Amino acid sequence: MALSASDLPAIYSLLTNSMSGDESVRKPAEAALAQCEARPGFCSCLMEIISAKDLASQVDVRLLASVCFKNSINRYWRNRRDSSGISNEEKVHLRHKLLSHLREENYQIALTLAVLISKIARIDYPKEWPDLFSVLGQQLQSADVLSSHRIFLILFRTLKELSTKRLPAGQRTFAEISSHLFDYSWQLWQCDVQTILHGFTTITQNFTSNAQEQQQEELYLICERWLLCLKIIRQLEVRPVKEVSPVLLNAIQSFLPYYSSFQKGHPKFWEFIKRACIKLMKVLIVIQETHPFSFSDKSVLPVVMLFCLNKIKDPEPDVISFEPFFIQCMVLVKCVLECKEYKRSLIGRVIEENGATLEQMKKNISNAVNGVLTSLLPSERIIHLCNVLIRRYFVLTPNDLEAWYQNPELFHHEQDMVQWTEKLRPCAEALYIVLFHNHTELLGPVVVSILQEAMNGCPTSVTELTPGLLLKDAAYGAAAYVYYELSNYLSFKDWFNGALSLDLSNDHPNMRIIHRKVALILGQWVSEIKDDTKRPVYCALIKLLQDKDLSVGLAACRSLCLHIEDANFSEKEFTDLLPICWDSCFKLVEEVQEFDSKVQILNLVSILIEHVTEVLPFANKLVPFFQKVWEDSFGESLLQIQLLIALKNFVVALGYQSPVCYDVLLPILQKGIDINSPDELNLLEDSMLLWEATLCHAPSIVPQLYAYFPCLVEIMERSFDHLEVGINIIDDYIILGGMEFLSTHASNVAKLLDLIVGNVNDSGLLSTLPVIDTLIQKLMVVCLSGGDDYEPSKTTVKASSAAIFARILVMNTNFLAQLAAESSLLQLLQNSGVSIGENVLLGLIDVWLDKVDNVSSVQRKAYGLALSIILKLRLPQILEKLDQILSVCTSVILGSNDDISEEESSGDNTISSRAHGADTIPSRELRRRQIKFSDPINQLSLEASVRENLQTCAALYGESFNAAISSMHPAAFAQLKQALKMP
């Protein structure tokens, strides 16, 4: 039943009660609101409450109403089958009402309504709401500051929503809006800049006056409108770069002087200055990334680059604390330096090519820009910029040292994992790396010189926190970040044997600053560490891993991962260090508190297990370690994922000794494969891989593993996301458990295969076929259907399916004959559009004859045996295909002997090579081969079968058989006699 105006008091009461602190009042009200939201008229009632003038002071109720309104739009604005939704008449009313309530004084409610309108516009504009932007434009003409701010809030949210549409029609619509809206927005933005600057001048001249308070509130609203307008300009596709960019830069230069003026007396405007300058820089960065060629104009690129470079190298004292702004300056310089469009083109023009193509024009611009950048960054300026980055921005500040002292662990992660665009030092490091990469030959000797100066100015004996020590730390960092290019100018061996080893020998607490950077260097320079230096480097990293300072230990942990994963890792040099390395990891994980630290340490343990040979001797320590980490990881999915990966590597490393860890592993595995577990979404994939590894390296199946198999059915019933791993798990169970497993879980296996066949793509089905021996009717449809001529994957599926039916015919001829005559199969084939002609078996014969060249040697033999058995069945139609049948059988007999003998020889070699003793546990591959060579198909003689069944066929058909034989080509008949060893 629809709600009307008479229900407004009831809805208002429900909203009020929904905010009650009394649960007995709040819960029924929330339930009643949930029931009302699907009723027609609910959104109209909410809109009336939001816009009611007499309720203007009831901000909480109106805000809750706006939130409920937004949620209802998300759920019911689109017409859905399961809901009547909102009627078209009510939609028209709501759209009109929303655009008539633009002067909302409460910002949160105005923001919610703006988001709400943007959601509706995404669905309705332009078909159902064509006048949206025209109405907003008309309202702007006569709007006061508050109304215009709210309109621009709506415009920004709506444009942001529409810009995310990716279909061509949506993009064309957005382009049309951009072309109409840009000019007005740009003009208003420029006018507001002047208004704001004039207002700021007035404020700075009247610090103690209270008469300006009302004007300041209005000015602040204009500032907010200006920011919204700037965001809209950033969203719009139409941006005349040469006109816009210089104006944006001028605005930055005009606002920056007020940074220090407003810092103490006007915090609200000080925050605006920060937001404005950062946003303006971000818009310039977006313009450069989006329109690099237009940005390269001589009126834009040189001016902007020079401004940013000057701010980085020589910032004014008043703005030196404005770190986020310097970050944006560095980001822009970095973007320009690594912009591929600005790289000089080395490709010349084609001789006698007429005219200038677009590509040629781009090359000309690139070459010109390269010249501009060369003039902007002469050698001395590049060297100066490199020095500034290292000596000023790389050096740890007093705040950094205090943060390190208070919490070394947290300091490490802030330095190690922070995004380079979020902090000043990482941003300076990113800019330095790009600068060095572009000017390696120039800066290589410069960095080495700074490094030598720092080491000479701060000998190893110096332990005080002097500027020299901090510069040494910065220089070490500079050498670490560009290790690849710098290796041509600096010998790592000499550096390590000299200064770095001496640094490590000094255990003074203040040396932790240098020790942490040495750990970074040892990890970054891994590719330059040669054989004669590996051992001392490994020892150094193990020592750093044991450092009392957690920041140093975690840095060493990361560097050790890099060394162990390196292609040239020397296990021989590391083997005797393993015990102390394990113990250090176990101790470190006890000391750390941060989640990221535990993940990092566990990652090192996992990598160690994966890359070293001797793991079993340490199993008695690793098992309780994994147990404790699992107990401490409750609610931390990422840590649990890392633990599952480590356990998988542990199981693989243990091989057939893996049951020693089952007490820990199996409960963890059971939780991971439980689809009802709260963490299932995060843990299932890695748990499935652990399950597969556990089965693959198990000497036998323990009862718990048998009990887990039904979980696979539940997983597959929900989705096929893990199909390939699931098939491998089924395969492992069948190979390892044999008849005992099948006798217990045959119904579950059949259920799984029933889920898979016909419901997955060709790749998934192909991976499933090796374990399919059931669901014959569905496979028959696959086998006899056409449409595989131009699809190799379908051909492979069809051929492999036909091989299964050939095997069934050989092993149980009566079963396949009965199956082929079943009415349910005939109906299934007919419903699937498969034309079967007179007999299903005749259709199979055609497939065997057609696909014999698309299968393996064993499958070809099954084809041959099936075709030979067909000869003795009472199917007169086979005489028409007799020459083809005998030709296939002949080719299989003559061609398969070598294949089979080769496989048997390979199998014997495999068996003999692995049979080191009576107690050796056969590998998974060996078990598979044993099953393969015990296959009855391999035991049967195709030659004898053809000879015997030919005689039966001759007796059945008499003269018709003789006529068919006599029609064979003499050469084919001669090959048949050769194959059957007939005189």
Side-chain angles (χ1 to χ4, degrees):
M1 184 175 177
L3 296 171
S4 63
S6 61
D7 296 300
L8 281 173
I11 298 297
Y12 178 81
S13 177
L14 290 176
L15 291 168
T16 304
N17 291 339
S18 294
M19 295 184 293
S20 172
D22 187 349
E23 188 173 337
S24 62
V25 176
R26 186 179 70 254
K27 290 292 185 181
E30 289 174 347
L33 277 176
Q35 292 177 352
C36 287
E37 68 176 11
R39 294 172 62 182
F42 179 66
C43 291
S44 297
C45 290
L46 293 175
M47 190 65 220
E48 292 299 327
I49 293 172
I50 295 168
S51 60
K53 293 183 179 180
D54 57 331
L55 297 178
S57 61
Q58 304 296 319
V59 175
D60 292 344
V61 177
R62 292 170 58 239
L63 179 58
L64 179 58
S66 66
V67 172
C68 292
F69 191 2
K70 179 174 68 72
N71 294 338
S72 295
I73 294 299
N74 290 335
R75 296 187 185 112
Y76 301 108
W77 195 268
R78 290 184 186 273
N79 293 324
R80 297 182 177 179
R81 296 178 182 177
D82 59 344
S83 170
S84 57
I86 301 172
S87 67
N88 290 331
E89 293 77 12
E90 188 176 1
K91 287 181 180 180
V92 172
H93 168 73
L94 289 172
R95 288 193 291 258
H96 174 74
K97 193 75 175 176
L98 283 166
L99 293 184
S100 64
H101 184 67
L102 296 176
R103 205 178 188 285
E104 171 58 56
E105 294 190 0
N106 182 270
Y107 175 76
Q108 288 299 327
I109 297 175
L111 177 61
T112 306
L113 292 177
V115 173
L116 187 153
I117 291 172
S118 72
K119 299 294 183 184
I120 296 175
R122 183 180 182 89
I123 301 168
D124 286 1
Y125 183 83
K127 291 184 178 180
E128 304 297 330
W129 205 357
D131 61 343
L132 169 61
F133 290 99
S134 61
V135 171
L136 291 174
Q138 291 170 6
Q139 298 266 19
L140 271 175
Q141 303 302 322
S142 58
D144 59 10
V145 176
L146 178 63
S147 298
S148 62
H149 176 272
R150 301 312 191 226
I151 292 172
F152 271 97
L153 186 60
I154 293 170
L155 285 171
F156 169 63
R157 288 290 169 179
T158 304
L159 289 170
K160 187 175 182 181
E161 189 72 37
L162 294 179
S163 68
T164 60
K165 285 191 169 186
R166 288 294 172 259
L167 292 179
Q171 293 183 338
R172 285 194 299 270
T173 300
F174 185 73
E176 292 174 7
I177 298 169
S178 299
S179 62
H180 289 100
L181 198 57
F182 176 79
D183 287 337
Y184 180 83
S185 301
W186 180 239
Q187 294 300 325
L188 179 63
W189 184 88
Q190 288 179 295
C191 291
D192 280 351
V193 170
Q194 300 305 318
T195 304
I196 292 168
L197 290 174
H198 177 73
F200 285 174
T201 303
T202 304
I203 291 173
T204 55
Q205 294 173 355
N206 298 277
F207 284 111
T208 59
S209 173
N210 294 325
Q212 305 292 330
E213 186 174 342
Q214 184 65 32
Q215 294 181 4
Q216 288 185 17
E217 287 299 322
E218 184 172 319
L219 178 62
Y220 184 73
L221 206 55
I222 293 174
C223 291
E224 290 296 318
R225 182 181 69 186
W226 177 87
L227 273 175
L228 286 171
C229 206
L230 180 61
K231 292 178 181 179
I232 289 171
I233 292 169
R234 180 182 178 181
Q235 286 284 342
L236 296 177
E237 293 184 349
V238 181
R239 285 194 297 262
V241 176
K242 298 176 186 179
E243 176 188 344
V244 170
S245 300
V247 179
L248 296 176
L249 183 60
N250 288 336
I252 297 172
Q253 293 171 319
S254 300
F255 283 143
L256 269 180
Y258 293 101
Y259 176 80
S260 58
S261 303
F262 291 160
Q263 188 167 2
K264 294 181 180 179
H266 301 278
K268 190 160 63 171
F269 287 109
W270 184 60
E271 288 296 327
F272 165 76
I273 290 294
K274 292 195 292 183
R275 290 164 58 201
C277 291
I278 293 170
K279 180 59 69 175
L280 285 164
M281 284 301 304
K282 286 183 176 179
V283 174
L284 283 173
I285 292 168
V286 169
I287 292 175
Q288 190 280 325
E289 291 176 340
T290 311
H291 306 287
F293 291 109
S294 298
F295 192 86
S296 66
D297 186 79
K298 62 182 180 181
S299 64
V300 180
L301 178 62
V303 180
V304 175
M305 275 289 286
L306 198 58
F307 171 80
C308 292
L309 288 170
N310 287 337
K311 291 301 177 187
I312 294 169
K313 293 188 298 180
D314 302 302
E316 295 87 348
D318 292 342
V319 297
I320 201 166
S321 62
F322 195 1
E323 289 192 1
F325 177 74
F326 294 124
I327 289 173
Q328 298 308 316
C329 291
M330 291 181 182
V331 170
L332 193 144
V333 174
K334 177 178 177 291
C335 289
V336 171
L337 291 180
E338 63 183 357
C339 179
K340 62 181 181 181
E341 286 82 6
Y342 297 164
K343 302 297 182 183
R344 186 183 295 276
S345 175
L346 301 178
I347 303 174
R349 287 186 61 182
V350 178
I351 297 176
E352 298 181 357
E353 181 182 15
N354 296 323
T357 64
L358 178 61
E359 288 302 316
Q360 185 61 43
M361 293 172 64
K362 289 181 178 180
K363 292 174 187 176
N364 294 338
I365 295 174
S366 298
N367 293 334
V369 172
N370 194 270
V372 172
L373 290 177
T374 302
S375 64
L376 279 173
L377 289 168
S379 298
E380 58 274 12
R381 183 171 284 176
I382 293 171
I383 294 173
H384 179 58
L385 178 60
C386 179
N387 270 279
V388 168
L389 290 173
I390 296 173
R391 297 175 186 273
R392 180 185 302 164
Y393 294 104
F394 284 19
V395 174
L396 293 171
T397 65
N399 290 338
D400 294 326
L401 296 173
E402 178 63 22
W404 190 342
Y405 176 78
Q406 293 295 333
N407 193 331
E409 189 180 353
L410 189 59
F411 174 81
H412 164 78
H413 293 299
E414 286 182 351
Q415 301 298 311
D416 195 48
M417 300 181 180
V418 70
Q419 284 287 335
W420 67 271
T421 55
E422 294 178 2
K423 295 284 186 179
L424 186 59
R425 186 182 302 103
C427 191
E429 291 166 355
L431 174 57
Y432 161 76
I433 291 169
V434 173
L435 187 71
F436 192 96
H437 177 74
N438 287 358
H439 307 280
T440 301
E441 293 182 1
L442 175 65
L443 294 180
V446 173
V447 173
V448 172
S449 173
I450 296 173
L451 182 63
Q452 291 291 346
E453 176 192 340
M455 290 190 295
N456 293 336
C458 181
T460 307
S461 57
V462 176
T463 56
E464 297 298 322
L465 287 178
T466 62
L469 183 69
L470 298 179
L471 177 61
K472 185 177 181 180
D473 171 74
Y476 275 14
Y481 303 138
V482 291
Y483 60 92
Y484 183 75
E485 295 91 346
L486 198 62
S487 61
N488 294 323
Y489 304 90
L490 180 65
S491 168
F492 176 81
K493 181 178 179 181
D494 294 341
W495 188 22
F496 176 77
N497 291 333
L500 297 183
S501 296
L502 291 174
D503 288 332
L504 293 176
S505 65
N506 188 339
D507 294 328
H508 191 278
N510 285 339
M511 287 299 290
R512 61 181 178 168
I513 297 174
I514 302 301
H515 289 174
R516 180 177 178 275
K517 206 54 66 75
V518 171
L520 172 66
I521 291 169
L522 297 183
Q524 293 293 319
W525 283 71
V526 60
S527 60
E528 301 302 319
I529 299 175
K530 307 306 179 185
D531 292 341
D532 56 343
T533 319
K534 286 185 183 295
R535 171 72 182 186
V537 168
Y538 293 160
C539 293
L541 284 171
I542 294 296
K543 180 182 178 182
L544 291 169
L545 187 66
Q546 299 172 291
D547 197 282
K548 295 178 181 179
D549 189 281
L550 292 180
S551 182
V552 177
L554 291 170
C557 180
R558 182 193 53 214
S559 293
L560 269 172
C561 289
L562 296 174
H563 276 269
I564 296 166
E565 287 184 307
D566 181 54
N568 297 317
F569 171 63
S570 175
E571 185 178 352
K572 178 182 177 182
E573 301 287 354
F574 198 83
T575 299
D576 64 321
L577 300 174
L578 265 176
I580 192 170
C581 186
W582 291 122
D583 291 340
S584 299
C585 289
F586 301 154
K587 181 182 178 183
L588 190 59
V589 85
E590 292 279 352
E591 295 175 351
V592 298
Q593 301 294 324
E594 295 292 327
F595 156 77
D596 289 330
S597 304
K598 294 180 181 179
V599 171
Q600 193 171 332
I601 299 165
L602 192 55
N603 183 50
L604 173 59
V605 171
S606 179
I607 291 171
L608 274 170
I609 292 171
E610 187 177 7
H611 288 84
V612 301
T613 306
E614 295 296 325
V615 174
L616 184 60
F618 307 100
N620 60 336
K621 293 184 177 180
L622 285 166
V623 170
F625 167 74
F626 288 135
Q627 178 68 48
K628 185 177 189 316
V629 173
W630 178 256
E631 292 171 354
D632 294 343
S633 68
F634 179 77
E636 301 287 0
S637 296
L638 290 177
L639 183 58
Q640 291 178 338
I641 288 171
Q642 193 64 55
L643 177 61
L644 291 170
I645 295 171
L647 277 173
K648 173 179 167 290
N649 292 337
F650 189 42
V651 168
V652 172
L654 292 176
Y656 294 114
Q657 302 296 324
S658 57
V660 301
C661 70
Y662 277 8
D663 288 344
V664 173
L665 184 148
L666 293 180
I668 295 174
L669 178 60
Q670 183 179 17
K671 178 177 174 58
I673 61 177
D674 180 8
I675 63 171
N676 298 314
S677 168
D679 297 323
E680 173 272 333
L681 183 64
N682 299 315
L683 303 183
L684 183 58
E685 180 178 357
D686 293 288
S687 297
M688 293 277 287
L689 293 171
L690 175 60
W691 193 359
E692 180 190 7
T694 302
L695 289 168
C696 187
H697 295 86
S700 61
I701 299 184
V702 296
Q704 296 98 313
L705 286 173
Y706 274 123
Y708 294 165
F709 187 75
C711 294
L712 186 61
V713 180
E714 296 177 357
I715 293 168
M716 291 295 185
E717 281 180 332
R718 197 177 59 173
S719 76
F720 294 122
D721 291 344
H722 312 288
L723 176 63
E724 185 175 353
V725 180
I727 292 300
N728 292 338
I729 289 172
I730 299 172
D731 200 23
D732 288 330
Y733 269 109
I734 293 174
I735 292 172
L736 195 58
M739 291 306 299
E740 181 184 355
F741 165 73
L742 289 174
S743 63
T744 306
H745 292 288
S747 60
N748 282 328
V749 173
K751 189 174 183 180
L752 278 168
L753 299 175
D754 187 30
L755 282 170
I756 295 168
V757 176
N759 295 316
V760 298
N761 60 22
D762 294 335
S763 176
L765 186 57
L766 188 60
S767 68
T768 309
L769 286 175
V771 295
I772 292 181
D773 280 317
T774 59
L775 308 172
I776 304 301
Q777 292 189 16
K778 288 187 177 181
L779 274 181
M780 188 71 79
V781 174
V782 174
C783 182
L784 297 180
S785 60
D788 65 314
D789 294 340
Y790 302 101
E791 296 186 45
S793 62
K794 288 190 178 297
T795 299
T796 307
V797 170
K798 188 172 181 178
S800 299
S801 302
I804 290 177
F805 289 111
R807 176 182 296 276
I808 293 171
L809 180 65
V810 173
M811 305 304 297
N812 194 332
T813 305
N814 291 335
F815 173 79
L816 188 61
Q818 292 172 4
L819 175 68
E822 283 185 8
S823 58
S824 59
L825 173 60
L826 300 176
Q827 186 64 44
L828 180 61
L829 291 168
Q830 184 178 351
N831 294 341
S832 303
V834 177
S835 177
I836 56 173
E838 299 177 28
N839 193 299
V840 172
L841 287 178
L842 293 176
L844 282 174
I845 292 171
D846 290 336
V847 176
W848 291 330
L849 295 174
D850 182 48
K851 305 301 179 188
V852 68
D853 294 326
N854 298 104
V855 293
S856 66
S857 59
V858 174
Q859 290 173 323
R860 291 179 78 235
K861 186 175 181 182
Y863 275 26
L865 287 167
L867 289 169
S868 71
I869 291 172
I870 287 289
L871 295 175
K872 69 179 182 180
L873 302 182
R874 295 183 179 275
L875 288 173
Q877 298 90 335
I878 65 168
L879 295 178
E880 299 173 4
K881 307 175 186 292
L882 185 61
D883 58 335
Q884 293 176 270
I885 293 173
L886 294 177
S887 176
V888 167
C889 291
T890 301
S891 66
V892 173
I893 293 171
L894 296 178
S896 63
N897 290 333
D898 292 339
D899 294 336
I900 294 174
S901 62
E902 183 180 341
E903 286 189 13
E904 289 175 347
S905 174
S906 174
D908 292 341
N909 290 337
T910 303
I911 294 171
S912 62
S913 67
R914 301 201 180 189
H916 299 302
D919 298 330
T920 300
I921 300 172
S923 69
R924 177 188 185 189
E925 186 59 33
L926 181 54
R927 285 173 173 149
R928 189 188 297 278
R929 286 184 174 275
Q930 289 172 341
I931 293 173
K932 181 177 179 181
F933 287 112
S934 64
D935 184 359
I937 295 293
N938 283 331
Q939 309 304 320
L940 294 174
S941 169
L942 177 57
E943 177 185 337
S945 178
V946 173
R947 188 184 298 112
E948 176 184 347
N949 291 324
L950 266 178
Q951 294 173 356
T952 305
C953 187
L956 283 173
Y957 302 110
E959 289 299 321
S960 299
F961 172 81
N962 293 333
I965 285 290
S966 61
S967 65
M968 288 184 66
H969 192 279
F973 187 73
Q975 283 188 327
L976 175 65
K977 292 174 66 177
Q978 177 188 350
L980 299 181
K981 299 182 177 62
M982 296 171 59

